[in-house]
Amino acid sequence: MDLFQNRSLRNVLKMFLQVEKLFSGMHRLVFFLFLFGSTLFYSCEYKHPDLDKEEISQKTKDSLSYLYKYHYTLNKNFEVWSDTVKLAQLPFKDKFVTISKGDRVVVAEFMVQPSDTVDSVWVKVARDQKTQGWIHKSDVVNQLVPVNIGSQSIFLFSHTHASYSLAVVALALAIFLFRIYRKKKLLLVYFNDINSVYPLMLCFLLAFSATIYETMQMFAPDTWQHFYFNPSLNPFKVPFILSIFILSVWAYIIVFFASLEELFHQLSISSALLYLLGLAVCCIFCYFFFIIATSFYVGYICLFMFFYVLIKKINSRMTYKYRCGKCGALMKEKGECPSCGAINQ
């Protein structure tokens, strides 16, 4: 009996050592990423309320059911974004009333027509008592926008050419900064950076947010669409993946103001403004690069490499033990300041 127990113990220890060896090094990293990704996507949906409670009225149950099934419910207010929208006068599909850009409408009813090959779900909207009709649910996203500021901001950047215009502006700024760089030495993020980790951290946070955003578009589009119709800045009332996204946006805002404080503390106003232009170009480049790279699944590797560069930058900054008594620049050792030339004893 003792011999059997010893053999069993040895076998268990042998299996444990094999498992430990398996998950060492890169295997452990892959396992961690897999575990994190599984947790991320497992909790990427909104929790549906319990509609079986007797104290909830049938009208409220229907309203909540529509909300989590179609992402918005009855009495939801929209604004017409397209130049004109035709509302069908069902059951006569060839009869329409027209609403124009800027008109406010409200959701009055939902209807499902299984025989419709275009979209089985129809939404009835009304501008007033005389002007009301039906529109495909799929057309609501492209032609109508919720009246709240959050949804309109998302719509402006996601459903219009605003993002492309931003890319063109970034390209023009990059050319302008390159011409200045050829004439004189210009401070740039990471390559010829100031004594601060905040600008590089700002670029990383935008890259991280872009990666999370594109991940939701690829793997959890319904979650993002629900957030679009019901935006919130509270990271604790949304699914886990949206919590990470909102927290990264808040962190971006905080680090942005920290970067401004560092910039105008270390540089003159003109140099700080030029540096801000370069920082804006870097942030825009990170956004578009990681959006595209994530769609091809290489964005996650690039983000991990970016994180490694950021950690190295933070570690190198920790080696600065002194500050210049004149300009406040960080110094690795006493002596001449590399920024202003002052001698520090």
Side-chain angles (χ1 to χ4, degrees), residues 122-172:
W122 286 79
V123 182
K124 185 178 183 180
V125 296
R127 188 186 65 184
D128 49 51
Q129 290 292 336
K130 296 181 179 180
T131 308
Q132 51 185 294
W134 297 86
I135 183 175
H136 282 119
K137 179 179 174 293
S138 56
D139 293 331
V140 171
V141 178
N142 299 319
Q143 297 182 346
L144 307 178
V145 58
V147 296
N148 61 79
I149 297 177
S151 297
Q152 291 189 350
S153 300
I154 296 173
F155 184 90
L156 179 65
F157 199 76
S158 302
H159 295 79
T160 66
H161 298 292
S163 58
Y164 301 106
S165 302
L166 190 62
V168 172
V169 171
L171 181 61

Side-chain angles (χ1 to χ4, degrees), residues 70-282:
Y70 303 130
H71 309 302
Y72 50 89
T73 188
L74 303 177
N75 299 321
K76 178 73 173 179
N77 292 299
F78 286 90
E79 182 179 341
V80 180
W81 187 267
S82 301
D83 292 333
T84 58
V85 177
K86 292 183 177 180
L87 303 179
Q89 302 297 289
L90 299 181
F92 307 103
K93 292 186 178 181
D94 56 345
K95 186 178 179 181
F96 302 92
V97 295
T98 303
I99 52 178
S100 304
K101 186 174 183 178
D103 288 345
R104 295 286 184 94
V105 295
V106 62
V107 175
E109 191 177 346
F110 291 93
M111 179 177 60
V112 178
Q113 290 190 342
S115 60
D116 195 324
T117 57
V118 177
D119 189 351
S120 60
V121 181
W122 286 79
V123 182
K124 185 178 183 180
V125 296
R127 188 186 65 184
D128 49 51
Q129 290 292 336
K130 296 181 179 180
T131 308
Q132 51 185 294
W134 297 86
I135 183 175
H136 282 119
K137 179 179 174 293
S138 56
D139 293 331
V140 171
V141 178
N142 299 319
Q143 297 182 346
L144 307 178
V145 58
V147 296
N148 61 79
I149 297 177
S151 297
Q152 291 189 350
S153 300
I154 296 173
F155 184 90
L156 179 65
F157 199 76
S158 302
H159 295 79
T160 66
H161 298 292
S163 58
Y164 301 106
S165 302
L166 190 62
V168 172
V169 171
L171 181 61
L173 285 175
I175 296 173
F176 171 72
L177 292 173
F178 178 72
R179 294 185 63 181
I180 296 179
Y181 183 79
R182 290 184 61 184
K183 294 180 180 179
K184 61 180 181 179
K185 194 173 183 181
L186 185 68
L187 290 172
L188 293 174
V189 179
Y190 181 74
F191 298 102
N192 187 26
D193 212 344
I194 63 174
N195 291 326
S196 174
V197 298
Y198 292 133
L200 187 63
M201 189 181 297
L202 196 71
C203 295
F204 173 78
L205 286 171
L206 193 59
F208 181 79
S209 300
T211 303
I212 295 296
Y213 168 78
E214 187 61 23
T215 300
M216 285 189 287
Q217 295 293 326
M218 294 167 57
F219 300 107
D222 285 343
T223 300
W224 177 256
Q225 192 172 61
H226 192 94
F227 177 74
Y228 163 67
F229 286 111
N230 308 276
S232 173
L233 294 177
N234 187 346
F236 305 108
K237 292 186 177 181
V238 293
F240 181 63
I241 189 171
L242 274 172
S243 296
I244 295 177
F245 177 76
I246 295 174
L247 286 172
S248 68
V249 173
W250 279 116
Y252 179 86
I253 295 173
I254 294 171
V255 174
F256 173 74
F257 285 108
S259 301
L260 287 181
E261 196 276 334
E262 287 278 4
L263 272 177
F264 289 99
H265 178 73
Q266 298 185 28
L267 304 176
S268 63
I269 295 178
S270 58
S271 299
L273 291 177
L274 283 175
Y275 187 93
L276 275 176
L277 286 177
L279 181 60
V281 171
C282 291

Side-chain angles (χ1 to χ4, degrees), residues 1-17:
M1 185 66 180
D2 293 338
L3 180 62
F4 176 75
Q5 289 179 345
N6 290 336
R7 286 180 178 177
S8 299
L9 182 60
R10 279 198 295 268
N11 289 335
V12 171
L13 290 174
K14 187 177 180 180
M15 290 176 61
F16 176 78
L17 292 174

